[in-house]
């Protein structure tokens, strides 16, 4: 696989001919000027430079640019569970701004205490001990530190193509080449194994079962001998890989028997995305540490956390986090308001109902559009994998880009993962009519891409 193909993992890349064609559509001089200024003043980096457009406002499921064009946001960096500018959340934050906008680290505050209590009440068993951080990457760092202290072992296992954040320790734990390339030596002691998949992957000879991936986990643990933790997303967010119940039963049993901490990264998909407050609730097991973030701040405040077992409260003489904004009153109030909004508006049941609708409608698309090789979804998290040929499963990379930019032209935003997977994750507050409108835009774009493929 070429380096260019390797780059198409975590999201769409920004330096293709289709991106250039996108800029040709933009005729507004102010927009083009601001995009040029952005390119002039910010350090350039993969996945976010150059930018797509210049935003002026957001509300509900919509982003609005400076010319008034609206995009239905089916990406949102996974922060928008309760929608943009949620009035209930904003009112709570505005009230807190007038009281205590910042809390120095050597003090505590009531919102932070209330949020810690709330998270503990939502999680099962002895998952009660909480630490906050200003971002998901930092929560991964804290979890890795705590795992070393609890187990006395520094080695971990993670998955190829996984993403757990962009700091040096987080990219060491992750499996994305796009973040690790040219970085030189990273954190030692990381072993990577293939992610559980059923549509493509190294263990397809096992049929539709993903148990071989769990067996390989045990193989590596036994061969390596001193593994302290297994770091994994409960459900892979970007290309929507949903492990089976049998996989998770086996993984939990393996980690328990070998005294390996099971660290779940639910930073992108907790808080209702899957129809449960936490994705692991679908499987009925308990992790040892869970990492949370993104939507925790309700699309307003940077806020993240880890929640660990009560018995892991053993690092009193070591700084696991020590962040300036560790117990942010504003972040805590935003998180509490987000959780209250979900509960008070029965959002989890709504998402479960929406999942049935999405399954039916995307299933119809798959029957009509030959480009669609596989659909995977749960709650309001859906992946549509495009292929040139259903027998060979050759990735339809160019066609996926055409679909994405055609949708952007018509007011729908999402990202492409692994080069050919359309990932759809709208705000959980989206209405049925808005879902229907988005799927119509998507269908039209798929038909355009199908014509391009033929000729």
């Amino acid at each position: 696989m070429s380096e260019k193909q390797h780059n198409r993992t975590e999201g769409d890349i920004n330096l293709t001919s289709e991106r250039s064609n996108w800029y040709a559509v933009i005729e507004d001089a102010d927009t083009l000027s601001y995009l040029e200024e952005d390119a002039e003043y910010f350090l350039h980096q993969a996945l976010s430079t150059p930018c797509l457009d210049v935003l002026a406002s957001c509300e509900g499921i919509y982003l609005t640019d400076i010319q008034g064009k609206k995009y239905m946001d089916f990406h949102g960096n996974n922060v928008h569970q309760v929608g943009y500018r949620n009035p209930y959340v904003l009112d709570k934050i505005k009230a807190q701004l007038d009281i205590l906008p910042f809390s120095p680290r050597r003090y505590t505050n009531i919102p932070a205490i209330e949020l810690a209590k709330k998270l503990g009440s939502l999680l099962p068993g002895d998952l009660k001990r909480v630490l906050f951080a200003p971002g998901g990457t930092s929560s991964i760092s804290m979890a890795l530190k705590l795992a070393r202290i609890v187990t006395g072992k520094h080695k971990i296992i993670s998955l190829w193509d996984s993403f757990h954040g962009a700091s040096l320790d987080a990219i060491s734990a992750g499996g994305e080449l796009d973040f690790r390339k040219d970085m030189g030596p990273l954190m030692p002691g990381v072993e990577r194994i293939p992610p559980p998949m059923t549509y493509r992957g190294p263990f397809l000879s096992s049929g539709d079962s993903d148990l071989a991936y769990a067996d390989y986990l045990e193989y590596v643990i036994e061969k390596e001998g001193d593994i302290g933790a297994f770091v994994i997303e409960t459900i892979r967010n970007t290309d929507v890989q949903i492990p089976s119940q049998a996989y998770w039963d086996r993984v939990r049993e393996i980690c328990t028997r070998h005294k390996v901490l099971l660290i779940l990264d639910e930073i992108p998909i907790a808080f209702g995305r899957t129809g449960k407050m936490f994705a692991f609730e679908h499987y009925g097991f308990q992790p040892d540490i869970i990492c949370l973030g993104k939507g925790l701040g309700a699309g307003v405040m940077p806020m993240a956390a880890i929640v660990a077992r009560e018995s892991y409260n053993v690092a009193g003489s070591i700084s696991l986090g020590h962040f300036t904004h560790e117990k942010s009153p504003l972040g805590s109030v935003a998180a509490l308001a987000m959780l209250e909004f979900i509960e008070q508006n029965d959002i989890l049941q709504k998402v479960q109902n929406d999942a049935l609708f999405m399954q039916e409608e995307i299933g119809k698309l798959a029957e009509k559009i030959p480009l669609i090789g596989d659909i995977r979804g749960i709650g309001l998290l859906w992946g549509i994998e495009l292929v040139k040929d259903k027998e060979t499963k050759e990735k339809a990379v160019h066609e996926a880009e055409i679909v994405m930019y055609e949708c952007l032209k018509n007011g729908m935003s999402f990202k492409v993962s692994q080069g050919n997977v359309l990932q759809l994750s709208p705000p959980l507050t989206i209405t049925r009519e808005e879902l229907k409108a988005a799927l119509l835009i998507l269908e039209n774009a798929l038909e355009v891409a199908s014509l391009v493929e033929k000729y």
Side-chain angles (χ1 to χ4, degrees), residues 11 69 166 172 187 217 231 289 292 319 344 360 377 416 429-430:
K69 179 179 179 177
S172 298
M187 184 177 71
L217 168 66
V231 183
I289 302 172
L292 305 168
S319 291
Q344 292 172 10
E360 181 178 356
V416 175
T429 55
I430 191 168

Side-chain angles (χ1 to χ4, degrees), residues 389-420:
D389 183 283
K390 291 188 178 183
E391 293 298 319
T392 66
K393 299 181 183 178
E394 179 186 353
K395 292 185 175 184
V397 172
H398 181 59
E399 292 81 359
E401 276 205 289
I402 291 172
V403 172
M404 187 186 80
Y405 288 108
E406 191 68 23
C407 285
L408 283 168
K409 290 176 189 175
N410 291 289
M412 180 188 178
S413 174
F414 57 83
K415 80 172 184 178
V416 175
S417 179
Q418 301 296 318
N420 71 318

Side-chain angles (χ1 to χ4, degrees), residues 6-69:
H6 269 305
N7 288 345
R8 298 174 182 271
T9 51
E10 176 63 22
D12 43 277
I13 59 177
N14 301 17
L15 301 173
T16 66
S17 59
E18 290 300 324
R19 176 58 66 94
S20 299
N21 293 338
W22 164 253
Y23 292 122
V25 174
I26 301 175
E27 299 177 347
D28 177 61
D30 287 341
T31 299
L32 292 172
S33 176
Y34 282 124
L35 288 172
E36 289 172 2
E37 286 191 69
D38 184 277
E40 180 179 354
Y41 294 114
F42 286 99
L43 282 168
H44 293 197
Q45 59 177 340
L47 302 176
S48 61
T49 307
C51 294
L52 278 168
D53 201 346
V54 183
L55 299 180
S57 65
C58 58
E59 185 174 16
I61 73 163
Y62 295 99
L63 302 171
T64 304
D65 72 9
I66 59 174
Q67 291 303 301
K69 179 179 179 177

Side-chain angles (χ1 to χ4, degrees), residues 105-368:
R105 189 173 47 246
R106 293 175 62 220
Y107 298 85
T108 191
N109 59 86
I110 294 171
I113 294 169
E114 290 300 317
L115 178 58
K117 287 166 58 180
K118 180 65 175 178
L119 290 175
S121 74
L122 291 172
L123 289 160
D126 60 346
L127 284 168
K128 301 296 180 187
R129 289 289 176 167
V130 180
L131 268 186
F132 296 137
T137 296
S138 297
S139 72
I140 292 292
S141 298
M142 296 192 303
L144 295 176
K145 288 180 184 178
L146 182 58
R148 289 188 177 194
I149 295 164
V150 169
T151 67
K153 303 171 186 176
H154 76 280
K155 291 184 179 179
I156 66 170
I157 295 175
S158 65
L159 303 182
W160 287 113
D161 283 340
S162 61
F163 176 73
H164 300 295
S167 63
L168 281 173
D169 53 354
I171 65 173
S172 298
E176 291 271 11
L177 175 64
D178 196 47
F179 291 85
R180 291 183 288 108
K181 66 180 181 180
D182 302 328
M183 287 296 104
L186 297 173
M187 184 177 71
V190 178
E191 300 289 334
R192 296 181 185 88
I193 64 175
M197 296 184 286
T198 54
Y199 183 67
R200 63 173 77 244
F203 298 137
L204 282 183
S205 60
S206 61
D208 291 335
S209 172
D210 54 10
L211 272 178
Y213 297 95
D215 292 338
Y216 192 61
L217 168 66
E218 184 162 45
Y219 178 84
V220 173
I221 289 172
E222 290 178 342
K223 289 295 182 183
E224 194 65 26
D226 54 354
I227 299 294
F230 179 34
V231 183
I232 179 175
E233 287 182 80
T234 315
I235 291 170
R236 163 79 173 170
N237 170 67
T238 55
D239 60 341
V240 194
Q241 299 292 343
I242 306 172
S244 68
Q245 181 69 53
Y247 174 87
W248 274 117
D249 288 344
R250 181 98 170 93
V251 166
R252 178 65 274 184
E253 184 269 328
I254 290 168
C255 289
T256 300
R257 180 154 43 82
H258 291 280
K259 295 181 171 56
V260 171
L261 299 194
L262 178 53
I263 301 175
L264 291 186
D265 178 349
E266 292 215 1
I267 293 165
I269 59 167
F271 314 118
R273 171 63 55 198
T274 65
K276 299 280 189 181
M277 191 64 80
F278 305 102
F280 73 85
E281 293 180 274
H282 289 279
Y283 299 100
F285 70 94
Q286 181 175 328
D288 298 305
I289 302 172
I290 186 169
C291 298
L292 305 168
K294 291 190 180 287
L296 185 60
V300 183
M301 300 300 301
M303 193 67 180
I306 64 169
V307 188
R309 293 183 184 272
E310 175 68 34
S311 59
Y312 298 169
N313 186 30
V314 293
S317 62
I318 300 166
S319 291
L320 295 173
H322 205 68
F323 303 112
T324 300
H325 291 270
E326 187 170 291
K327 292 181 179 176
S328 166
L330 293 177
S332 297
V333 163
L336 285 165
M338 178 273 297
L339 293 168
E340 290 166 2
F341 183 87
I342 287 175
E343 292 174 342
Q344 292 172 10
N345 292 275
D346 204 12
I347 295 296
L348 299 182
Q349 184 60 57
K350 174 194 175 298
V351 172
Q352 292 169 29
N353 295 338
D354 288 340
L356 297 175
F357 171 77
M358 292 290 280
Q359 178 72 51
E360 181 178 356
E361 294 303 310
I362 296 178
K364 292 176 184 177
L365 279 183
E367 292 175 358
K368 293 170 59 177

